[in-house]
Amino acid sequence: MKGAEAEARAAQHLQALGRRVVAQNYRIRGGEIDLVTLDGPVLVFTEVRHRSSTRYGGAAASVTPQKLALMFRAAQSYLLREHGREDLPCRLEVLTIDGPADTGHITLIPVE
């Protein structure tokens, strides 16, 4: 349930930034996108990572190159399945929550 709480808070945060949530938990074999939002005309694919404690590193430390590769693959799949093309304006990002899911510190990290 903690993951769902973090994702709900992330969605609220992104909506407060003026974005519109268009999909949640988009899954393909071997990959998932937690949130897909529209930031103006740009689709944004967001991975939500939450760590209640920094005991094993913060939430950003839990994002591996393999996770980013799977995220990229899922985003490509989303573009093809939902829009029929891969060349739409889009970007990837990671939203981290460090501390309690409902009150922890939120950081948005662009994926280059």
Side-chain angles (χ1 to χ4, degrees), residues 25-36 45-47 66-82 86 90 92:
N25 300 313
Y26 178 79
R27 288 181 171 85
I28 64 165
R29 184 180 178 115
E32 176 189 14
I33 301 288
D34 293 324
L35 294 167
V36 181
F45 300 96
T46 306
E47 171 69 16
Q66 180 183 12
K67 178 60 185 169
L68 293 177
L70 292 173
M71 185 180 172
F72 180 78
R73 194 172 112 216
Q76 284 182 312
S77 174
Y78 179 89
L79 291 170
L80 281 174
R81 288 183 185 173
E82 302 300 320
E86 290 182 316
C90 63
L92 302 177

Side-chain angles (χ1 to χ4, degrees), residues 33-50:
I33 301 288
D34 293 324
L35 294 167
V36 181
T37 59
L38 271 173
D39 186 7
V42 178
L43 280 168
V44 184
F45 300 96
T46 306
E47 171 69 16
V48 178
R49 304 303 278 191
H50 170 241

Side-chain angles (χ1 to χ4, degrees), residues 52-108:
S52 56
S53 164
T54 58
R55 181 181 207 175
Y56 301 105
S62 69
V63 180
T64 65
Q66 180 183 12
K67 178 60 185 169
L68 293 177
L70 292 173
M71 185 180 172
F72 180 78
R73 194 172 112 216
Q76 284 182 312
S77 174
Y78 179 89
L79 291 170
L80 281 174
R81 288 183 185 173
E82 302 300 320
H83 297 280
R85 49 194 278 206
E86 290 182 316
D87 61 346
L88 294 172
C90 63
R91 69 178 186 263
L92 302 177
E93 69 185 9
V94 176
L95 184 147
T96 62
I97 302 174
D98 287 296
D102 58 344
T103 60
H105 179 72
I106 292 178
T107 304
L108 277 173

